[in-house]
């Protein structure tokens, strides 16, 4: 497993829901912001359908606030919500357009995505939103660099990222050492307190630690006590 390239300055993380970033990638984000990199978040939905017993009109603003607080912990100040419906996101040309526009606005060299495969592991289906957002976002990286695909975005100059890195995959090619930011990653996930309280009666801090122990555990062939693994895609940026 190779070291993920880090000779870049600006990155964006594109995911479907608040909390997706914090299930592992946030520890890497904390590493990068400590290096002085400019990282920004783009969330396709506000996660408004994500808390049982709490109506979307209440859950959406709450989850946005939790995501902003979580982002601040790892050094991210710019968090954008695109307003697509949680649980009903469609892999469509419209979503590709919205994501291409975000890429052109933020002009990243690195785009970080979340697992968009059909499964988490054998027998465990990935969510429809994760599949739709990840696949559309990977296409949008190419779209953003092509002036002709979305002519309605002509006011935003075309932009080509150099890479997309997908975390949460089962067969990763690259990784980064997050041993020094492991605890910050836990703190960042813990900021999703109301969401985690709805998932389990276990203490929120214990839930967050257990998740990060699993997602940032040692990776075969990579010398780090804690690491975030990625599948790396190359573009012409």
């Amino acid at each position: 497993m190779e070291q993920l390239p880090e000779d870049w300055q600006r990155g964006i993380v594109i995911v479907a829901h608040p909390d997706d970033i914090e299930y592992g990638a946030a520890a890497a984000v904390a590493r990068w912001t400590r290096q002085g990199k400019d990282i920004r978040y783009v969330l396709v939905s506000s996660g408004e359908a994500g808390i049982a017993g709490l109506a979307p009109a209440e859950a959406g603003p709450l989850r946005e606030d939790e995501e902003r607080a979580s982002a601040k912990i790892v050094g991210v100040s710019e968090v954008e919500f695109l307003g697509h419906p949680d649980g009903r996101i469609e892999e469509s040309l419209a979503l590709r357009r919205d994501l291409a526009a975000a890429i052109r606005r933020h002009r990243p060299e690195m785009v970080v995505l979340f697992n968009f495969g059909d499964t988490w592991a054998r027998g465990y289906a990935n969510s429809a939103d994760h599949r739709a957002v990840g696949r559309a976002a990977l296409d949008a990286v190419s779209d953003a660099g092509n002036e002709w695909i979305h002519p309605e975005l002509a006011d935003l100059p075309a932009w080509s990222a150099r890479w997309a890195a997908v975390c949460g995959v089962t067969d990763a090619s690259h990784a980064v050492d997050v041993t020094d930011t492991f605890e910050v990653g836990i703190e960042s996930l813990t900021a999703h307190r109301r969401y985690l309280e709805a998932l389990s009666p276990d203490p929120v801090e214990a839930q967050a630690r257990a998740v990060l122990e699993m997602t940032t555990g040692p990776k075969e062939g990579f010398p780090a006590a804690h690491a975030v693994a990625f599948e790396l895609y190359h573009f012409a940026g």
Side-chain angles (χ1 to χ4, degrees):
M1 187 173 290
E2 299 179 44
Q3 165 71 39
L4 190 79
E6 292 185 317
D7 57 331
W8 49 274
Q9 184 58 31
R10 178 174 293 171
I12 63 169
V13 187
I14 298 174
V15 295
H17 317 107
D19 80 82
D20 287 348
I21 299 168
E22 287 67 48
Y23 278 83
V29 171
R31 169 189 169 96
W32 295 329
T33 58
R34 288 184 179 186
Q35 294 172 347
K37 292 178 175 25
D38 176 359
I39 310 295
R40 304 170 184 193
Y41 288 175
V42 176
L43 292 98
V44 173
S45 84
S46 297
E48 67 275 7
I51 299 179
L54 190 65
E58 297 178 69
L62 183 153
R63 298 202 69 197
E64 288 186 3
D65 287 345
E66 288 188 337
E67 184 56 50
R68 293 186 186 98
S70 181
K72 185 176 180 180
I73 289 167
V74 296
V76 173
S77 59
E78 191 159 344
V79 181
E80 181 178 7
F81 297 90
L82 299 184
H84 287 250
D86 182 19
R88 295 177 288 131
I89 301 171
E90 295 181 330
E91 183 186 354
S92 62
L93 190 60
L95 179 57
R96 281 172 51 188
R97 179 201 62 223
D98 290 352
L99 293 173
I103 291 167
R104 290 185 181 186
R105 282 194 300 274
H106 296 292
R107 304 174 74 80
E109 298 163 83
M110 173 68 78
V111 178
V112 176
L113 307 175
F114 198 37
N115 177 12
F116 52 82
D118 291 336
T119 63
W120 292 114
R122 180 172 293 176
Y124 293 89
N126 199 355
S127 86
D129 283 357
H130 295 158
R131 299 195 309 268
V133 169
R135 291 168 182 168
L138 195 64
D139 289 336
V141 175
S142 295
D143 292 353
N146 187 316
E147 62 186 303
W148 306 117
I149 293 177
H150 302 291
E152 62 271 43
L153 302 182
D155 58 327
L156 293 168
W159 178 261
S160 296
R162 297 167 67 188
W163 302 283
V166 185
C167 70
V169 297
T170 56
D171 186 24
S173 58
H174 292 69
V176 295
D177 184 346
V178 296
T179 305
D180 291 342
T181 54
F182 174 72
E183 295 293 337
V184 181
I186 293 173
E187 184 182 355
S188 185
L189 179 54
T190 301
H192 293 276
R193 184 166 297 276
R194 180 65 180 83
Y195 175 73
L196 293 174
E197 287 173 346
L199 291 184
S200 169
D202 294 339
V204 168
E205 290 78 5
Q207 289 187 56
R209 184 169 295 276
V211 167
L212 268 292
E213 289 282 3
M214 177 179 63
T215 59
T216 71
K219 305 295 186 286
E220 185 176 355
F222 193 78
H226 292 281
V228 177
F230 299 89
E231 181 68 19
L232 186 66
Y233 292 81
H234 299 262
F235 293 88

